[in-house]
Amino acid sequence: MKTYVPPKFMIIRDPARCIQCQICVNQCSFDANYYDIEDSEVRNRDENCVGCHRCMTFCPTRAITITKNPLEYRENYNWRSEDIEDIWKQAESGGVLLTGMGNDKGYPIYWDHLLLNASQVTNPSIDPLREPMELVTYLGKKPDRVRIDRDSFDLETELAPQVKLNLPVMFSAMSYGAVSLNVHKSLAQAATEMGILWNTGEGGLHHSLYKYGNNTIVQVASGRFGVHAQYLNVARVVEIKIGQGAKPGIGGHLPAEKVTAEVALTRMIPRGTDALSPAPQHDIYSIEDLAQLVYALKEATNYTKPISVKIAAVHNSAAIASGMVRAGADIIVLDGLRGATGAAPKVIRDNVGIPIELALASVDTRLRQEGIRNQASLVISGGIRNSGDVIKAIALGADAVNIGTAALIALGCHVCQQCHTGKCAWGICTSNLSLTKRINPEIGARRLSNLLRGWSLEIKDMLGGLGINALESLRGNRLHLRGVGLTDTEAEILGVRMAGS
Amino acid sequence: MKRVLVNEPVCMGCHLCEVYCQLQHSKHEDMVKAFKREPSRPIARLRIEEKEPLFFPLGCQQCEEPYCVNACLTGAITKNSDTGVITTDEEKCIGCWTCILACPFGIIRQDLLRHKSIKCDLCQGLETPTCVANCPNEALTYTTIED
Amino acid sequence: MTHLPKVKYLIIGNSAGGIGAAETIRCADKDGSIAIVSDELYPAYSRPLISEYLAEKCSLGKMLFRPLGFYEALNINTILGKKVIRLDTKIKAVQLDDGTEISWGKLLLATGGIPTIPKVDGLNNTGVFTFTTINDAKEIDQFIKKGHRAVVIGGGLIGVSVTEALVKRGVKVTIVEMKDRILNTILDEELSAMATETIIKHDVRVITKHTLAEVNCLFGTDSVHAVTLDDSRGIPCELVVIAIGVRPRTELASNAGIKVNRGIEIDCFMRTSHPDVYACGDVAEPYDFVYGENRLSPIWPNAYLGGRIAGFNMAGEATEYQGSTTMNSLKYFEMAITSAGVVTPPDDSYEVLSRKYDHSYKKIILKKNGLLAGMVFAGDIEKSGIVFGLMRDRVNVLDFKQALIAENFGFLSLPEELWRQRLKTAFYPQFSKRRLVKTGVL
């Protein structure tokens, strides 16, 4: 059947600069660049181009650029080209439209409506190059009160297990199978080097990574992939995944093309079958059930590891979070609307869930109102793009943030949204062994560490500018934020005043 | 002595090492000119051997007991006693191809235009061979080998 | 009668074998005296280059096998232009043609070979040449004029190489070959036919299955003006080049009581029947691993390596020669062919696999046990060394024999364990010890 869907991108090759080296051909995993043997020339199949820029980046003479197909539709505010083409695709396939990465639609980004304070005249700035800045964050249940021995000043109160982070940024859960083993190795190495944590996601933990266990969060998701005794014992934190921001209400989905032998072994499933996680965890149908699982895991790990529970940010996040805390969770993870995924139905990714900024503000407010804010650490994620977003999240009340998309971008991702095909030309979200080589874990870990290093310097700069030298002073301190372009209700939910007031 | 070592698991077969080797051994410094303005395409000294998903950049192994040196009919290929680097004297080479038959790795190339044998010279004159310097995935390293 | 001071290492012959031994000995023994005696007046030169010289491609200086100053730098004494006429193994001395006597500690016979001369009339006339030394090339060079006609007797490597040189000089050549095809020892029927076709395109006439009966001169002169073949056919010409083969110069050895077969008999340490006398190169019979016996191996790389191994052993570093076989590469008339071992199997016990492609031809000959006995690659020869390496190292290729002649054959076509192991042999220290000269196999 002839497809009506036009090419979205065009590969523009400058013949004066092209040396026919065919590197674009060997690097394109979508078969959009090819070599015509008869005419001895490199050519394009624009209909296959997904705009990942791999060919452009690797062309040694910079002969290539990628543009949008300048095809014109008659202007229509309601029927955008994407809507039209989605209908064609469904008319041709009859299936669910899948996509990768996070919500790309024009919903408001509240980070861009929040501004930070700085010290001027009163309460002088602190120079981070001359004074120590405390970015260290401890995740875990904090006690209601502490008792200290009057003579030795030793802490008498027994604390619940705590995890130390050198900076308030961790790597989001990305499952092995959705991303490659080399990506996991990069995340694990960088997390270990920078003193933070990374998350295995719901695909299990490859045995070669057990040595990074001390910096690893292992996830127990609805499919229970790869969950066994050693998996739990090797980890630093065990996380129950109820949902994720990209597809609240439905389970994870790893297409069969990406279930290779190694992935299958780690997940403990048959090779070459779709790995579908059920929508709910079938043993968690109520908050009481959640409490049961939380305590079962605490028993299994001898109460030595914090138990984290991750939910997608949805309408009742505040009430749910309150329940989770009371169910015994040591860490609450909220994943917002912009959270990314390796594969999700496009309509769910783009229409379900709420922005993380609002969820964070409402959860933090509610927990404080109920006097239980100290009983769990609050970690948020979903489209954190830079250190500015991080600081604003802390100010809104988060203990730490998770970065997923940003981490993959550091590794080379161009957010072309083709993760579900398993053909990632950057070698990130694929199981194809020829492609996964493109991520050298040494380089990947270096790039991730560099990103975190840059952000921590920026955070210190901003803290210094605020006149504070410890993150604790900023945490939940919404007075350091002002809003712009917010409605009264938005400002109220975020708990910030308008700039100028 | 220093040799180019291959970290095979991270070679992705992009062939950039070949392209930069070609540039280095051309008469130009600009890549477009090197490939478009010379009478024949410059020849890369190393080649990516492929058997997906395996890629291996195979160049001269600078053998301890070099077969090519022992086979050379004219004495054009010699091994430097200090650096251990094996190079060809293009003036002396008559293109008899005996070294090609002798090399167990098949790394010696024919320059059919000039009728000479071509092999890796570890980019004599450069601090780091250009293949190592330009590998985007750090699959090639220039490492000191203990004798 | 002059008697020179005793030489610790005396080498007779200044070509591949002699140089291989001399420079290796100097590596192993920094002080021991080394002397080379040769009946040719020149420093070691590359014998195969004499056809380049004749074709006027290179000067004498370019033909030197080692750079000027080589002998001085390594402190090697050279006695050039003198012939050794007698070897006495009891008193360990040699006598030169000018009466000089030289005593030696260890002796290497690298005397090489001389052209085989057929028993026909008329070879003493002006215009008849052989083609194995630079002097031969010089004489032909001075003799020929453009437009001359030449008959080359022998369609082997030497015959074809001198033919190419003569064609480049504007001489019209006829090759007369005794067997049914040229290059019959190193090419199979298919490639012989292709080579013949290529040569004919250069206006060379090729006559097979005939021999030379007589060289004829103009009445009253001694200048060649024709040859007569065995079928009484006459071919007019101004010069004749005899290139039917080379026989080893074993007289010194046999006269001294050293065991000689067709060539000088040696063991795996290149030693003759006398413990202090070694032999290498065209004069000796090293072990051929394809034939499984000791036999002549007149191949330049084998001669060099034989000399090198003899050198190690002479200097006291016991090194075994692992065996070699014929190996040749042809570049004449723009062809590119590499061949080694047995190219035409003598009986049905061999398996022959070959494939023909647009621009190349690949053939391997296997013994029933999976070891390579021979190979010949034409056109696409750049990876042929990988196959020869497997042959040389006696690797069993039964499981992947088809891959060896595939069009896209490469190093990774070998089983993974094998190619990884072979990479290690290049420079890992534990494999590099000279003792392990598995590399001594060419």
Side-chain angles (χ1 to χ4, degrees), chain C residues 23 36 75 165 195 207 281 285 292-293 424 429:
Chain C
E23 55 189 13
I36 297 180
N75 199 11
I207 297 173
E285 287 191 357
E293 60 183 29
K424 288 207 179 105

Side-chain angles (χ1 to χ4, degrees), chain A residues 18-19 26 434 437 440 446, chain B residues 14 36 41 52-53 137-138:
Chain A
C18 176
I19 57 173
N26 76 48
S434 302
K437 290 183 170 205
N440 176 343
R446 203 183 304 148
Chain B
C14 69
K36 286 182 181 281
R41 225 165 153 75
E52 291 207 42
N137 225 22
E138 293 177 13

Side-chain angles (χ1 to χ4, degrees), chain B residues 8 47 49 51 56 61 64-65 67 70 73 92 94-98 100-104 109-110 146, chain C residues 46 49 64 300 304-305 308 329 331 381-383 385 388 392 410-412 420 423 426-427 429 432 439:
Chain B
E8 174 259 308
R47 251 186 304 208
E49 298 276 332
K51 194 174 179 184
F56 198 96
Q61 301 296 301
E64 194 70 28
E65 182 70 38
Y67 298 91
N70 294 351
L73 302 192
K92 289 198 86 152
I94 56 166
C96 69
W97 318 136
T98 308
I100 288 183
L101 178 58
C103 174
R109 317 282 319 263
Q110 294 171 285
E146 291 311 319
Chain C
S46 167
L49 280 188
L64 294 181
W300 182 277
Y304 177 84
L305 198 64
R308 187 159 161 75
S329 91
K331 63 167 183 100
I381 61 164
E382 278 186 337
K383 310 260 176 122
F388 183 55
R392 180 174 54 207
F411 195 60
L412 262 55
R420 285 194 193 277
L423 277 175
F427 59 71
S432 77
T439 64

Side-chain angles (χ1 to χ4, degrees), chain A residues 1-327:
Chain A
M1 182 162 62
K2 182 177 172 60
T3 180
Y4 293 163
V5 182
K8 222 169 174 58
F9 297 99
M10 298 184 69
I11 302 167
I12 312 291
R13 186 175 283 103
D14 181 353
R17 297 195 66 78
C18 176
I19 57 173
Q20 307 292 337
C21 66
Q22 298 181 52
I23 288 180
C24 55
V25 175
N26 76 48
Q27 289 298 294
C28 181
S29 53
F30 292 93
D31 204 28
N33 290 287
Y34 72 99
Y35 187 70
D36 186 304
I37 295 180
E38 198 179 10
D39 293 344
S40 302
E41 199 180 46
V42 178
R43 294 197 175 144
N44 323 331
R45 289 190 189 97
D46 290 331
E47 64 273 16
N48 292 342
C49 179
V50 300
C52 76
H53 303 166
R54 183 80 178 179
C55 57
M56 176 220 60
T57 309
F58 276 69
C59 174
T61 56
R62 287 168 290 107
I64 299 177
T65 190
I66 312 293
T67 63
K68 274 208 317 233
N69 182 354
L71 176 69
E72 298 279 2
Y73 287 77
R74 185 179 288 279
E75 282 176 30
N76 192 321
Y77 195 75
N78 192 39
W79 290 99
R80 297 162 302 177
S81 61
E82 189 182 333
D83 302 313
I84 297 172
E85 288 163 17
D86 279 352
I87 292 180
W88 285 332
K89 286 179 192 167
Q90 290 194 295
E92 284 163 21
S93 68
V96 171
L97 290 175
L98 290 181
T99 185
M101 296 314 272
N103 187 321
D104 59 359
K105 297 298 180 290
Y107 297 104
I109 301 172
Y110 290 99
W111 304 126
D112 294 341
H113 290 268
L114 294 169
L115 294 166
L116 287 163
N117 195 16
S119 299
Q120 296 288 275
V121 183
T122 60
N123 189 19
S125 311
I126 297 177
D127 186 348
L129 293 175
R130 303 175 75 168
E131 316 240 4
M133 286 281 181
E134 189 60 88
L135 296 186
V136 168
T137 303
Y138 287 89
L139 298 180
K141 193 187 296 291
K142 307 295 188 291
D144 291 340
R145 52 169 56 84
V146 292
R147 177 173 261 110
I148 299 180
D149 183 289
R150 280 180 187 277
D151 301 312
S152 66
F153 296 105
D154 284 340
L155 184 63
E156 280 183 3
T157 314
E158 200 183 311
L159 292 180
Q162 303 290 312
V163 177
K164 179 183 174 187
L165 301 177
N166 279 352
L167 63 150
V169 179
M170 299 187 285
F171 296 126
S172 289
M174 293 179 277
S175 70
Y176 173 37
V179 297
S180 70
L181 181 59
N182 283 339
V183 170
H184 266 206
K185 284 182 182 169
S186 307
L187 294 168
Q189 260 179 258
T192 306
E193 191 186 317
M194 298 305 290
I196 60 166
L197 302 180
W198 71 288
N199 191 317
T200 63
E202 62 185 307
L205 180 64
H206 194 267
H207 56 86
S208 66
L209 298 174
Y210 282 7
K211 59 186 181 220
Y212 298 107
N214 217 27
N215 292 75
T216 308
I217 304 172
V218 298
Q219 218 183 48
V220 175
S222 58
R224 302 289 160 89
F225 294 126
V227 178
H228 51 80
Q230 205 185 2
Y231 178 69
L232 300 176
N233 283 320
V234 124
R236 190 78 182 81
V237 173
V238 179
E239 179 170 280
I240 301 171
K241 178 206 173 189
I242 304 293
Q244 64 182 106
K247 41 191 162 172
I250 67 170
H253 179 189
L254 185 67
E257 302 86 53
K258 294 171 88 168
V259 182
T260 60
E262 280 288 300
V263 167
L265 188 68
T266 307
R267 289 199 178 209
M268 295 150 65
I269 58 170
R271 180 186 176 166
T273 56
D274 281 330
L276 297 167
S277 303
Q281 297 235 15
H282 282 296
D283 53 354
I284 305 178
Y285 283 0
S286 66
I287 279 292
E288 290 78 12
D289 288 339
L290 177 64
Q292 212 169 32
L293 183 59
V294 168
Y295 280 97
L297 290 170
K298 289 191 181 187
E299 287 282 337
T301 57
N302 235 339
Y303 293 87
T304 57
K305 303 176 202 280
I307 305 298
S308 165
V309 181
K310 174 177 177 181
I311 57 166
V314 291
H315 305 317
N316 281 340
S317 294
I320 299 167
S322 168
M324 282 154 64
V325 173
R326 291 169 201 284

